[in-house]
């Protein structure tokens, strides 16, 4: 599974939203995720990929695509270390 | 009051009231472990400000709602320092909802962080305080007693925290550990802004007899006192910090003191 697919799975599991709605352009607001859904998603993604996503960074994501790109970047960085 | 040579852990110590407590204890000589969850930058900044006071500061990331992470945090403290003198259970989270909208997910999240974590941290802290005694202070809120709009789950979790404080105070007394709590009314922090946008109306806040709103520093001062030897005979209490608002009948009217 790609990073994108894994994150989509996690969001769908936590928010109970159909995966087809979680497009790269979708925002948390579009899928009606509340603040608890968002923090639980961040924690689950951190654990799945063994990375840290501080709120200061997460607040910059405009949509799901930004979120995926950030995690992909961090995963690559981690593999290099 | 001096905490020189003492080591304190402040959960959620990176910002808000936790930060004020961490700085207050540090200003009196304590070395501080600043625990944080989501805001690394804020925690690093607080640690830097603590070091500027001439004491040691360590930053540890842990979601205190996750028992495995609590264990990891205490393992790190145990390995690095081998002891702990003061535990401040300050971290809290919650969802602003009325009772009919609370679901299992929101309940578990809030109770795990605000109540269960206080138990797990106290258990681990008590072991690091073995043979030397210690102080545990937990942050409750007046919303455990007063009914605030959309505050239900957090209020309930704080009720559990206050009862836990009494049990811990008695059962840990033979180990030389003093356990207490503080309960503030509205304090100027980000959390307050959150609750205002989620349903609390600022105009509904009754005038405070003391003439102003509670600040994080007001809370930190009381917490520091409870951590001192001067408070030795206070056990299992929840000290209210509200400038008199909770006992003041609406029949009184106050002129603002500015
Ligand atoms: N503000 C008020 O009006 C008020 C009134 C009465 C009582 N209190 C109580 O005072 C305490 C501090 O309140 P505050 O206003 O300073 O809160 P805040 O501004 O919302 O800050 C919450 C703090 O808790 C940390 N935290 C949240 N979830 C955590 C978790 N799962 N694991 C570890 N840390 C976690 C946060 O760390 P990150 O930032 O790193 O996520 C942050 O440092 C709380 O117990 C609160 O209930 C506040």
């Amino acid at each position: 599974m790609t990073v994108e697919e894994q994150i989509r799975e996690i969001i769908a599991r936590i928010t109970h939203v159909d995966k087809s709605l979680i497009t790269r352009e979708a925002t948390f607001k579009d899928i009606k995720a509340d603040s608890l859904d968002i923090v639980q998603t961040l924690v689950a993604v951190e654990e799945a990929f063994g990375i840290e996503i501080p709120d200061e960074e997460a607040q910059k994501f405009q949509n799901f695509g930004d979120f995926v790109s950030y995690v992909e970047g961090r995963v690559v960085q981690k593999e290099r270390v | 009051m001096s905490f020189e040579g003492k080591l304190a852990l402040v959960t959620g110590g990176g910002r808000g009231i936790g930060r004020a407590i961490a700085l207050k204890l540090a200003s009196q000589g304590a070395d501080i472990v600043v625990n944080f969850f989501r805001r690394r930058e804020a925690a690093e900044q607080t640690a830097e400000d603590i070091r500027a006071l001439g004491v040691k500061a360590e930053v540890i990331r842990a979601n205190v709602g996750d028992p495995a992470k609590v264990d990891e945090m205490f393992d790190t403290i145990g390995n690095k320092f081998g002891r702990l003198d003061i535990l401040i259970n300050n971290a809290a989270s919650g969802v602003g909802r009325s009772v009919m909208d609370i679901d299992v997910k929101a309940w578990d999240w809030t109770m795990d962080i605000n109540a269960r974590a206080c138990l797990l941290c106290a258990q681990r802290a008590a072991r690091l305080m073995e043979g030397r005694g210690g102080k545990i202070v937990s942050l409750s809120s007046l919303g455990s007693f007063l009914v605030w709009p959309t505050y239900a789950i957090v209020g309930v979790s704080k009720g559990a925290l206050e009862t836990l404080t009494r049990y811990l105070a008695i059962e840990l007394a033979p180990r030389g550990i003093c356990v207490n709590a503080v309960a503030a009314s509205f304090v100027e922090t980000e959390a307050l802004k959150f609750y205002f946008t989620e349903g609390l109306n600022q105009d509904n806040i009754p005038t405070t007899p003391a003439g102003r709103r509670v600040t994080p520093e007001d809370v930190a001062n009381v917490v520091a006192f409870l951590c001192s030897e001067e408070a030795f005979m206070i056990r299992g209490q929840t000290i209210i910090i509200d400038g008199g608002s909770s006992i003041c009948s609406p029949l009184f009217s106050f002129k603002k003191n500015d």
Side-chain angles (χ1 to χ4, degrees):
Chain A
M1 245 201 295
T2 63
V3 167
E4 176 165 341
E5 284 162 351
Q6 284 185 71
I7 300 181
R8 189 173 282 116
E9 288 271 342
I10 290 171
I11 297 179
R13 174 167 51 80
I14 289 172
T15 61
H16 305 293
V17 162
D18 193 278
K19 275 193 269 179
S20 64
L21 296 174
I22 311 171
T23 61
R24 284 190 78 94
E25 292 69 40
T27 65
F28 275 119
K29 205 170 161 199
D30 294 338
I31 59 166
K32 301 198 168 49
D34 64 14
S35 58
L36 182 51
D37 292 324
I38 296 172
V39 67
Q40 289 193 335
T41 297
L42 290 169
V43 170
V45 169
E46 286 176 336
E47 282 178 1
F49 295 96
I51 57 169
E52 183 181 327
I53 312 168
D55 269 9
E56 291 93 346
E57 293 298 326
Q59 276 157 8
K60 295 180 198 154
F61 306 154
Q62 302 280 348
N63 53 30
F64 176 65
D66 286 354
F67 186 9
V68 172
S69 305
Y70 176 84
V71 175
E72 283 169 344
R74 294 296 308 275
V75 171
V76 170
Q77 240 177 30
K78 207 183 134 211
E79 279 163 2
R80 280 209 196 108
V81 174
Chain B
M1 277 193 285
S2 168
F3 299 119
E4 223 158 286
K6 305 274 186 207
L7 179 66
L9 163 64
V10 184
T11 67
R15 61 189 176 91
I17 297 171
R19 173 185 152 86
I21 295 169
L23 287 169
K24 176 77 188 176
L25 297 177
S27 72
Q28 290 173 6
D31 295 326
I32 312 285
V33 177
V34 178
N35 155 255
F36 79 101
F37 177 31
R38 310 282 336 146
R39 307 272 195 94
R40 180 176 283 281
E41 274 176 31
E44 299 284 2
Q45 181 61 53
T46 297
E48 215 176 292
D49 296 343
I50 290 169
R51 288 185 202 110
L53 295 168
V55 293
K56 290 192 202 113
E58 187 84 15
V59 169
I60 302 183
R61 178 170 198 240
N63 169 8
V64 296
D66 181 341
K69 299 288 188 295
V70 169
D71 276 334
E72 278 172 29
M73 172 167 69
F74 277 92
D75 288 347
T76 306
I77 297 172
N79 292 336
K80 182 142 195 175
F81 300 96
R83 66 190 166 90
L84 186 69
D85 302 286
I86 297 169
L87 164 67
I88 310 295
N89 283 315
N90 164 80
S93 186
V95 188
R97 291 190 195 165
S98 40
V99 274
M100 292 304 283
D101 296 326
I102 296 172
D103 56 17
V104 171
K105 187 162 115 176
W107 172 273
D108 286 348
W109 175 262
T110 311
M111 293 301 276
D112 289 355
I113 295 171
N114 299 7
R116 189 179 68 187
C118 296
L119 171 69
L120 300 180
C121 289
Q123 288 173 335
R124 289 294 310 256
R127 278 183 231 145
L128 286 174
M129 292 171 181
E130 197 75 61
R132 52 193 298 118
K135 316 284 177 192
I136 299 176
V137 180
S138 303
L139 278 279
S140 183
S141 134
L142 260 193
S144 70
F145 166 72
L146 295 174
V147 174
W148 289 338
T150 75
Y151 198 75
I153 330 180
V154 180
V156 171
S157 70
K158 296 299 189 185
L161 176 154
E162 290 181 18
T163 304
L164 176 66
T165 297
R166 291 191 280 273
Y167 276 85
L168 287 170
I170 302 310
E171 294 196 18
L172 298 183
R175 297 170 179 240
I177 300 173
C178 301
V179 186
N180 287 291
V182 297
S185 55
F186 302 109
V187 185
E188 299 281 2
T189 58
E190 266 183 55
L192 191 58
K193 279 186 227 146
F194 171 80
Y195 279 106
F196 282 143
T197 51
E198 299 264 317
L200 278 185
N201 182 349
Q202 200 150 1
D203 298 336
N204 290 344
I205 297 183
T207 317
T208 306
R212 61 168 174 80
R213 197 172 278 166
V214 182
T215 65
E217 290 70 30
D218 291 324
V219 180
N221 288 340
V222 180
V223 170
F225 170 66
L226 290 173
C227 291
S228 75
E229 285 313 302
E230 286 154 33
F232 186 76
M233 292 305 280
I234 304 177
R235 303 292 176 107
Q237 299 302 308
T238 299
I239 310 292
I240 292 174
I241 309 168
D242 71 346
S245 57
S246 65
I247 55 163
C248 184
S249 150
L251 297 174
F252 272 94
S253 68
F254 286 96
K255 279 206 191 98
K256 240 188 129 213
N257 219 355
D258 37 30

